[in-house]
Amino acid sequence: MNASKVGAMDAGLAAVLGALAGSVATIGAALTTGWTQREGVRITARSEHRSQRREPRNSSYKKFITEASRLRDLAAAFTVAHAEFPYETVDSVFAGRCEIATRTVQETWVDVALAGPKQVSEAAAKLERLSNALAFRILGLHRLVSDESRMLTDRALDGIKDVIAGEAEEFDRTLDVFVLLAQAALDDDGTL
């Protein structure tokens, strides 16, 4: 072959290879652009979903905390160490207020449990169970205190009061944990 044919062949091959390289680069750029756009849409959709969930969560958490705080404040009377606990304060009005507060905790915990996330739901379920225990014991104590023919000694009443105090303190600690978990859930923007 002569030198001009080899040069022409090299130029033609170079042109074909250049066109092929350009095509591969264009396809690569198109794939990268498509992936980047798809990821951007996915991130935007996820962010929008979290945003839409935040307000209902905020509302249900706030209502639950308000109701649980009401019960915590009522039960706090048992945590104060009195030499002579004023059992006469555990009257029908006080017992009724505790029962209503417990009922509202029970009514609002379902919304919190459904709103999630899991850790918040678990803490809400624990508070609901503790509220049941508190109400049951406070109502029982009220019946014992209001019974004129009661056979319990002051020492036995103090024992019941101490059990209620322990449950009230656990309720208080669990409510504090719930608040921190709820704050973390509301602050989660999905970037972690």
Side-chain angles (χ1 to χ4, degrees):
M1 286 201 179
N2 70 24
S4 67
K5 281 188 175 182
V6 171
M9 197 162 123
D10 286 341
L13 184 60
V16 169
L17 290 176
L20 182 61
S23 295
V24 169
T26 302
I27 290 170
L31 289 174
T32 302
T33 301
W35 179 83
T36 303
Q37 288 175 342
R38 198 171 44 252
E39 281 300 302
V41 167
R42 190 178 68 77
I43 290 168
T44 302
R46 186 171 183 194
S47 176
E48 181 63 26
H49 174 73
R50 286 185 181 274
S51 232
Q52 289 173 355
R53 288 196 53 132
R54 189 178 195 288
E55 183 51 41
R57 278 183 175 173
N58 185 49
S59 177
S60 63
Y61 294 173
K62 183 177 180 180
K63 187 173 182 179
F64 184 73
I65 290 168
T66 300
E67 300 305 334
S69 294
R70 191 169 288 134
L71 180 59
R72 178 196 55 202
D73 293 346
L74 288 166
F78 295 95
T79 62
V80 179
H82 294 290
E84 292 286 327
F85 183 78
Y87 288 104
E88 64 277 0
T89 61
V90 186
D91 58 9
S92 59
V93 172
F94 180 81
R97 289 172 60 203
C98 290
E99 190 173 15
I100 290 169
T102 298
R103 199 172 317 122
T104 57
V105 167
Q106 293 168 345
E107 291 167 359
T108 57
W109 88 269
V110 174
D111 291 334
V112 172
L114 293 175
K118 183 180 178 186
Q119 299 91 341
V120 174
S121 297
E122 289 171 347
K126 183 175 181 181
L127 284 167
E128 190 270 339
R129 287 190 304 273
L130 287 169
S131 73
N132 281 332
L134 275 170
F136 177 77
R137 294 203 201 293
I138 290 170
L139 290 172
L141 182 61
H142 164 63
R143 287 187 190 109
L144 291 172
V145 169
S146 62
D147 183 8
E148 296 295 324
S149 64
R150 76 171 180 247
M151 304 298 266
L152 292 176
T153 64
D154 287 341
R155 185 174 178 190
L157 287 175
D158 287 343
I160 295 168
K161 177 208 151 284
D162 291 342
V163 169
I164 294 171
E167 290 174 343
E169 289 170 352
E170 185 178 0
F171 188 88
D172 185 46
R173 285 189 303 274
T174 305
L175 182 55
D176 289 343
V177 168
F178 175 84
V179 169
L180 294 174
L181 290 171
Q183 287 172 340
L186 292 173
D187 287 343
D188 180 15
D189 63 358
T191 58
L192 296 177

